[in-house]
Amino acid sequence: MEKITLDHVAKFIPENKPIGILVSGGFDSATLWYATKKICMERDQECLPYTIPKLDGAEHHSKKVMEVTCHLLDIPVVEPTMVGEKTDDPTETTISGIRDVIKKYEKFALVADTAYFEDLEYHTDPEPRRRPEARVLQFMEQPYFYFTKDKALLFAKDLGILNHIIPVTHSCTEQDWGRCKECYWCKERELAFVKAGLEDYGLA
């Protein structure tokens, strides 16, 4: 798979279910939200954004993403619904948020997890990424699972939204504004722009 396309994303969206997109305020979920909402609008299919509260200020940044992308889609701004419970374990926070989208709001959940860069150390004892089990895939999907972040950047460029979402997306997980430049996610964003041959002028 060389690139992410609208057709690729569309294959992961069941046509007979309402869709819930996990929008973190980061770059990957911003592109997934925009692409999925665009597809669902053409299908006349329900698609709503949800945000998981985390220490990285997702509540604030996701709202900025919604303001920009809804303007680009020429629709009224949609307020993300808060899901999940903020805990000391970010993995459990994410799982609880996905669980809410599926069970509480009865939506098919789409998550914008991308593949790790092999030339960046994730953490000292990395766990192998695994696709969800078949029974779980009845309720959620990860369209970007096999793509690294640079492919999400190029997808945004192809969609014509790249320059609009660079300034409002936030990748750092250690602080809610600016970049620590030390966490994996800061380094991932920096490397993704280098690999994609693009300039990152975002401040968040």
Side-chain angles (χ1 to χ4, degrees), residues 22 52 54 83-85 87 89-103 140:
L22 275 298
I52 301 169
K54 292 181 293 184
V83 291
E85 297 182 3
T87 71
D89 182 349
T91 299
E92 180 53 39
T93 298
T94 300
I95 291 172
S96 67
I98 295 172
R99 187 184 300 121
D100 279 356
V101 171
I102 296 169
K103 293 188 175 181
M140 66 163 287

Side-chain angles (χ1 to χ4, degrees), residues 184-197:
Y184 173 85
W185 310 108
C186 278
K187 293 178 180 178
E188 180 197 42
R189 177 164 174 152
E190 180 181 9
L191 182 58
F193 273 89
V194 170
K195 286 180 176 288

Side-chain angles (χ1 to χ4, degrees), residues 165-183:
I165 64 175
I166 286 176
V168 297
T169 50
H170 175 73
S171 298
C172 182
T173 57
E174 297 299 315
Q175 54 196 52
D176 62 7
W177 187 259
R179 304 178 193 174
C180 72
K181 299 184 180 180
E182 296 296 329
C183 71

Side-chain angles (χ1 to χ4, degrees), residues 52-158:
I52 301 169
K54 292 181 293 184
L55 298 176
D56 58 7
E59 302 97 314
H60 168 75
H61 297 292
S62 63
K63 289 180 180 180
K64 290 291 185 181
V65 165
M66 297 310 300
E67 291 172 5
V68 169
T69 54
C70 287
H71 174 74
L72 294 171
L73 289 163
D74 196 25
I75 60 174
V77 175
V78 184
E79 185 83 7
T81 299
M82 301 303 299
V83 291
E85 297 182 3
K86 186 184 294 185
T87 71
D88 292 335
D89 182 349
T91 299
E92 180 53 39
T93 298
T94 300
I95 291 172
S96 67
I98 295 172
R99 187 184 300 121
D100 279 356
V101 171
I102 296 169
K103 293 188 175 181
K104 183 177 180 179
Y105 293 98
E106 299 182 339
K107 302 293 189 294
F108 184 90
L110 290 187
V111 184
D113 291 341
T114 54
Y116 302 140
F117 283 125
E118 293 183 357
D119 39 353
L120 277 183
E121 182 179 358
Y122 178 52
H123 51 65
T124 55
D125 186 20
E127 296 179 3
R129 295 176 77 235
R130 295 185 179 90
R131 287 274 289 153
E133 298 176 3
R135 63 180 180 81
V136 177
L137 293 177
Q138 299 177 62
F139 308 103
M140 66 163 287
E141 259 297 358
Q142 301 167 304
Y144 295 174
F145 187 84
Y146 295 108
F147 296 94
T148 47
K149 195 181 194 75
D150 53 317
K151 300 299 190 297
L153 301 182
L154 294 172
F155 183 38
K157 182 179 179 182
D158 290 344

